[in-house]
Amino acid sequence: MGAVEVRDGFTALYGAEPEGVWSAPGRVNLIGEHTDYNDGFVMPFALPHTATAAVSRREDGVVRLHSADLDGGVVELRPDDLVPQADKEWTAYPAGVVWALREAGHPVTGADIHLSSTVPVGAGLSSSAAVEVVVALALNDLYELGLQRWQLARLCQRAENVYVGAPTGIMDQTASACCEDGHALFLDTRDLGQKQIPFDLAAEGMRLLVVDTRVKHAHNEGEYGKRRAGCEKGAALLGVDALRDIAYDDLDAALARLEDEEVRRLVRHVVTEDARVERVVALLESGDTRAIGPVLTAGHASLRDDFRISCPELDLVVDTALASGALGARMTGGGFGGSAIVLAEATDVDTITKAVEEAFAAASFTAPRVFEAVPSPGARRIS
Ligand code: ADP
Ligand code: MG
């Protein structure tokens, strides 16, 4: 649904024009997986798929929420009454943003919100962050809160962690809030230092495909928690604040000090993955874009063999794409489903897409959804 439909939908629903319309994108992570809760590096870029919200202020202590994408009508809440982890519906995401803003002392007295999103839900493309960030940016503008993008991302993360109750890192919200058109975002999740890295594949005759396996990753929260706890255990055993503090050159020495094979695998993934992010940044900055392919593929092997969060569908995408001429491929996002990315010469895209679709049919998997991911703008006001 486009901005005009969302604006018109708001007017039909609430009987008045919205004060404005905003959008915020989903994201795909180029490299740097499961590093964000280890104080490490990530490198997402924004998708052309966005959540779009029409919003007006209210002064009577009421928030009204509506999603054009779901059945169920307008939900009315009172900001004074919001309690973390009580709401198990979609409304927890936008309400959580209102809660987080107010908890941080910002005078948000109410709002009418109507939204719609083209970000696929549960595909590892961060539809939840798109919803949070679009609401945060709208309220920041309307209430003239003066918060910077990274601050909005922090508040959205707090909304998701504390109010919704989902233990996620800072990457998704920062990507949605801070990415720029034609760039990937290098983010140091320890100090939130950022660097925009030019990433214009089309100009160099390449494409990046997203293959949504249609396997919902929603059931993986227990596994995510286990990996996270294992990483924290590794850091504690090694006497560092976070695994980010283990230098790549010291990895072998660190591993030699760990007895638990499971913890060793987790540590090895995180430390080598941080090194891969730095490698990709260096290659892109030196203009050697094709050379990032094998780095992406090495990242997949690490997630599959060391972190052990891949699944047959994701492995099939990666193996089939590589066998059909892809420059590199890897699962992206939390794992156990969701999406993979494939870097390819533009001329090979059709062959690869067909091969992946045929491989899925032959394996009796649900047909995947394949689309091209063009690095797109971050959150913005549309009207
Ligand atoms: P993802 O990987 O897509 O972020 P999550 O489980 O983190 O998956 O978030 C998905 C949730 O975000 C949905 O279950 C829903 O509650 C909310 N959401 C996403 N898009 C929409 C939408 N268009 N309308 C309402 N809620 C949405
Ligand atoms: Mg999410």
Side-chain angles (χ1 to χ4, degrees), residues 57-64 76-82 98 102 107-112 143:
R57 282 168 290 183
R58 289 178 71 104
E59 282 160 13
D60 60 352
V62 169
V63 173
R64 291 194 290 181
E76 195 169 311
L77 305 165
R78 304 195 67 86
D80 283 342
D81 298 341
L82 299 178
V98 173
R102 287 167 57 90
V108 177
T109 50
D112 283 337
Y143 282 98

Side-chain angles (χ1 to χ4, degrees), residues 216-371:
K216 294 283 177 223
H217 68 102
H219 57 278
N220 70 10
E221 261 166 40
E223 295 294 328
Y224 177 93
K226 273 190 227 161
R227 299 303 185 286
R228 209 171 158 144
C231 289
E232 280 161 17
K233 188 174 164 194
L237 288 169
L238 293 168
V240 291
D241 287 343
L243 292 182
R244 139 60 174 294
D245 294 313
I246 306 295
Y248 181 74
D249 288 342
D250 299 334
L251 176 60
D252 287 343
L255 294 178
R257 291 170 53 202
L258 296 170
E259 278 168 24
D260 184 334
E261 178 59 19
E262 182 65 29
V263 174
R264 287 164 56 100
R265 287 173 195 267
L266 298 178
V267 170
R268 188 162 53 210
H269 167 72
V270 173
V271 175
T272 59
E273 186 78 351
D274 273 339
R276 280 185 287 272
V277 179
E278 293 187 292
R279 181 88 187 118
V280 167
V281 170
L283 288 168
L284 290 179
E285 287 188 325
S286 67
D288 199 0
T289 308
R290 281 177 175 76
I292 74 171
V295 186
L296 303 184
T297 304
H300 184 77
S302 181
L303 289 163
R304 181 191 60 209
D305 303 334
D306 272 345
F307 224 66
R308 291 195 276 183
I309 56 167
S310 190
C311 66
E313 291 84 351
L314 287 166
D315 290 341
L316 188 61
V317 176
V318 170
D319 293 345
T320 308
L322 293 172
S324 312
L327 296 161
R330 61 179 285 267
M331 56 156 286
T332 183
F336 304 104
S339 299
I341 56 173
V342 176
L343 180 72
E345 302 290 353
T347 47
D348 290 337
V349 162
D350 290 345
T351 312
I352 292 168
T353 303
K354 194 156 170 280
V356 169
E357 286 169 351
E358 285 174 2
F360 267 55
S364 300
F365 293 155
T366 305
R369 181 163 40 195
V370 185
F371 61 89

